Amino acid sequence: MATFFSGLIIGFVNCWQITLITLATGPFIVAAGGISNVFLHRLAENIQDAYAEAASIAEQAISYIGTLYAFTNETLAKYSYATSLQATLRYGILISLVQGLGLGFTYGLAICSCALQLWVGRILVTHGKAHGGEIVAALFAIILSGL
């Protein structure tokens, strides 16, 4: 908390315009990360259920191994287990896709926020309202306080 508040104070002291831009764009970055985490949590629950189903099939096959062997149903048990694992494969691929898109979108927003801050900083320097060092100090103070 001390890092967060001291970063905000340093940012406001050095260049309040850059700090306000950062505070305005921050919720969008947090929302993007939160939305991807909600989807990841749901997919993780689904993949756990699929693994539980596959484990149940394997447990039944091991419990009744004598019956399976007597009626030569080993192939059917293997096929049933392999089929139940296909759902976990699909969920694993979806988790990878959601994680990649979520992180890409979140980091893309963060980089766009930094680009906006530097662009506004350039305008402030051009009009003589701030110096480059103040802008960089405010930018890094806010980034470090956000971490």
Side-chain angles (χ1 to χ4, degrees):
M1 293 300 288
T3 304
F4 175 72
F5 287 117
S6 62
L8 282 178
I9 291 169
I10 292 169
F12 274 117
V13 167
N14 282 312
C15 187
W16 62 270
Q17 296 96 333
I18 297 295
T19 305
L20 287 179
I21 289 172
T22 305
L23 291 176
T25 58
F28 295 110
I29 298 167
V30 171
I35 290 170
S36 69
N37 281 339
V38 167
F39 284 116
L40 285 173
H41 182 69
R42 288 182 188 164
L43 287 171
E45 288 175 351
N46 291 341
I47 201 168
Q48 286 293 81
D49 293 341
Y51 273 126
E53 181 183 334
S56 171
I57 291 170
E59 181 183 355
Q60 289 175 6
I62 291 171
S63 297
Y64 300 109
I65 191 72
T67 307
L68 284 172
Y69 186 71
F71 293 106
T72 63
N73 283 337
E74 301 96 356
T75 307
L76 180 62
K78 287 191 294 187
Y79 177 75
S80 178
Y81 181 69
T83 303
S84 67
L85 284 180
Q86 288 299 318
T88 62
L89 177 65
R90 283 194 310 273
Y91 286 128
I93 290 171
L94 278 174
I95 284 174
S96 299
L97 181 66
V98 168
Q99 194 170 25
L101 289 174
L103 280 174
F105 192 67
T106 302
Y107 285 136
L109 284 176
I111 290 171
C112 287
S113 174
C114 285
L116 176 65
Q117 294 164 17
L118 291 173
W119 181 70
V120 170
R122 180 192 63 86
I123 291 172
L124 292 173
V125 168
T126 304
H127 294 313
K129 295 183 179 180
H131 300 290
E134 295 171 341
I135 291 169
V136 171
L139 181 66
F140 281 114
I142 295 299
I143 288 173
L144 290 176
S145 72
L147 292 178

